[in-house]
């Protein structure tokens, strides 16, 4: 303060920082599902002003994403559903606050999951009181790892019913069968 007696001592120091746009968000995370892709993202640094909305850009080709309607600031995922089996989509996210919009995030992509093709069953090997089965993995796993197999058995062709579910091992022994018993098998 200045008066007739001169200038006072200086006040305690204070600082301020101007507000800025949010920082560039990280690439979205895309989780594949059956005929859908779940896209999620995390809030970037806000630039000192809270994020007010997110805009997701979606496309069927890399670099050709178009914006969807903005989401509110509390939304951190989007379910892109109604997609075809094996469809690939590309995504970018943009964050907006009162100052303006961030740069677009790096691109991320995902491909929908499809049902795996059936495994290729080898000829059963008969033994005393048992029949051993083995098979080759499916030629197409549907864009996701095979997590197990189901074995079906029946006394007549076309009458197979569920017998067992196993992990990823590609063999199974149907034990405790009677001598001369015939069984028909399928594997999914």
């Amino acid at each position: 303060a200045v008066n007739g007696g001169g200038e006072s001592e200086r006040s305690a120091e204070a600082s301020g920082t101007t507000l800025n746009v949010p920082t560039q968000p990280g690439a979205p995370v895309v989780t594949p599902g059956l005929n859908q892709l779940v896209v999620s993202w995390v809030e970037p640094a806000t630039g000192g002003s809270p994020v007010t909305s997110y805009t997701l850009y979606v496309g069927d080709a890399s670099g050709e994403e178009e914006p969807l309607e903005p989401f509110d600031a509390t939304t951190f995922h989007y379910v892109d559903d109604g997609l075809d089996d094996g469809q690939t989509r590309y995504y970018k996210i943009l964050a907006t606050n009162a100052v303006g919009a961030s740069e677009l995030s790096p691109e991320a992509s995902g491909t929908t999951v499809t049902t795996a093709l059936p495994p290729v069953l080898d000829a059963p090997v008969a033994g005393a009181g048992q029949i051993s089965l083995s098979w080759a993995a499916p030629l197409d796993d549907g864009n996701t790892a095979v997590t197990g197999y189901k074995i079906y058995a029946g006394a007549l062709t076309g009458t197979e019913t569920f017998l067992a579910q196993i992990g990823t091992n590609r063999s199974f022994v149907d034990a405790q069968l009677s001598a001369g018993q015939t069984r028909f098998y399928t594997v999914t």
Side-chain angles (χ1 to χ4, degrees):
V2 178
N3 66 15
E7 182 178 347
S8 70
E9 290 185 30
R10 292 184 181 189
S11 68
E13 185 176 72
S15 69
T17 302
T18 60
L19 300 177
N20 201 352
V21 298
T23 60
Q24 180 185 39
V29 174
V30 183
T31 305
L34 188 59
N35 299 103
Q36 70 177 20
L37 296 166
V38 178
V39 185
S40 59
W41 56 89
V42 297
E43 182 176 35
T46 65
S49 178
V51 171
T52 56
S53 67
Y54 293 99
T55 304
L56 183 65
Y57 287 67
V58 181
D60 289 320
S62 178
E64 296 183 12
E65 298 87 358
E66 295 290 329
L68 299 178
E69 289 295 317
F71 298 98
D72 67 46
T74 62
T75 300
F76 296 97
H77 77 279
Y78 171 74
V79 179
D80 195 358
D81 58 5
L83 303 176
D84 294 330
D85 288 349
Q87 184 173 350
T88 300
R89 299 271 274 189
Y90 299 84
Y91 304 93
K92 293 179 181 178
I93 190 79
L94 174 128
T96 302
N97 66 11
V99 178
S102 69
E103 292 181 41
L104 277 170
S105 72
E107 183 178 78
S109 66
T111 302
T112 59
V113 173
T114 61
T115 304
L117 291 177
V120 179
L121 186 59
D122 298 329
V125 176
Q130 68 182 30
I131 298 174
S132 298
L133 304 173
S134 63
W135 54 89
L139 297 176
D140 183 346
D141 64 10
N143 297 322
T144 188
V146 172
T147 59
Y149 295 96
K150 290 184 178 180
I151 296 96
Y152 296 82
L156 301 171
T157 185
T159 65
E160 298 88 358
T161 59
F162 178 76
L163 175 64
Q165 182 169 345
I166 63 171
T168 58
N169 186 19
R170 293 192 314 265
S171 64
F172 178 79
V173 176
D174 188 3
Q176 301 176 1
L177 300 175
S178 304
Q181 185 175 357
T182 300
R183 298 270 274 183
F184 294 88
Y185 299 93
T186 59
V187 177
T188 63

